Amino acid sequence: MIYYHNFLVDVAKYAELGKANEFPELDCCPMCRAKIRLKRHGFYKRNAIESGAEIYRIPICRLICPDCGKTISILPTFLLPYFQHTMDFIIRILLTSWIAYRLLCSRQLRRFYEKRAYGKLTEIELFIREQGNRKALPDALKEKAIKMLQMIQALGKATFVRRWWGHRISSFMAHSLYHGARVVKTI
Ligand SMILES: [Zn+2]
């Protein structure tokens, strides 16, 4: 299971702190609901890419429930499950390409994220409406996508991710194959 936590640091700082980041303690198992302190269960490394040039190799903390024996991974809010690029970077790739016609990554990668974003537009619009935003959105697909990604940027990624997970168990930008992944929100 994935557990989202806002470490209040950006990817560079998180990478620098490594295992010394402030990892949350959980006193209740989000999987079996046992009122029990979850134990540390080591770390695994994954990539986090914030720009075209920089690849961070960051530790992800795992916890295990002594009761049910299941593990959870504590994912920083700047990352999306199953993607190496940070959410900020994905949004920048798309906006820069749509507005300024410049590429921040390979053409293939940009196309990949563009396809994902278009596939998620209805869901993102629903989310924006649920947040109480009643502003009219452009009809044209690309203009609509630009407007919505700018709204997400304005909301701040940590706030967006927290509220998004609070509303639905589905990954922002992820393929439907992964919709079964269980994710819980953090405070
Ligand atoms: Zn448990």
Side-chain angles (χ1 to χ4, degrees), residues 3-146:
Y3 186 91
Y4 257 109
H5 182 72
N6 184 4
F7 286 84
L8 303 170
V9 292
D10 61 12
V11 61
K13 190 70 188 166
Y14 182 96
E16 185 194 322
L17 288 169
K19 293 177 183 175
N21 275 291
E22 280 189 41
F23 297 100
E25 305 268 10
L26 295 187
D27 286 319
C28 177
C29 173
M31 296 161 290
C32 73
R33 301 279 157 202
K35 297 258 180 297
I36 194 162
R37 167 72 56 105
L38 268 60
K39 286 188 179 154
R40 286 287 182 90
H41 194 58
F43 292 86
Y44 64 87
K45 292 260 185 168
R46 59 160 283 179
N47 289 344
I49 306 174
E50 177 78 337
S51 70
E54 199 122 32
I55 300 176
Y56 295 98
R57 203 73 193 134
I58 60 167
I60 303 294
C61 181
R62 278 203 307 186
L63 300 177
I64 187 164
C65 170
D67 218 36
C68 67
K70 288 183 182 154
T71 59
I72 63 174
S73 303
I74 300 172
L75 208 63
T77 44
F78 52 75
L79 283 178
L80 295 166
Y82 322 111
F83 289 107
Q84 295 197 6
H85 297 86
T86 62
M87 191 168 128
D88 256 7
F89 188 44
I90 294 172
I91 292 178
R92 267 191 293 128
I93 288 171
L94 293 176
L95 288 180
T96 309
S97 134
W98 288 336
I99 298 169
Y101 302 98
R102 275 201 306 120
L103 275 179
L104 296 182
C105 61
S106 71
R107 209 169 290 276
Q108 192 188 15
L109 190 65
R110 185 204 60 93
R111 228 183 346 246
F112 171 81
Y113 284 129
E114 184 176 78
K115 233 173 113 190
R116 289 285 188 271
Y118 284 157
K120 284 276 172 187
L121 281 193
T122 311
E123 215 177 326
I124 297 173
E125 184 176 357
L126 195 69
F127 167 81
I128 286 169
R129 296 308 183 206
E130 280 169 5
Q131 301 304 304
N133 195 319
R134 299 272 167 267
K135 260 189 227 155
L137 289 165
D139 287 328
L141 193 66
K142 189 171 135 187
E143 281 66 35
K144 191 173 183 175
I146 289 173

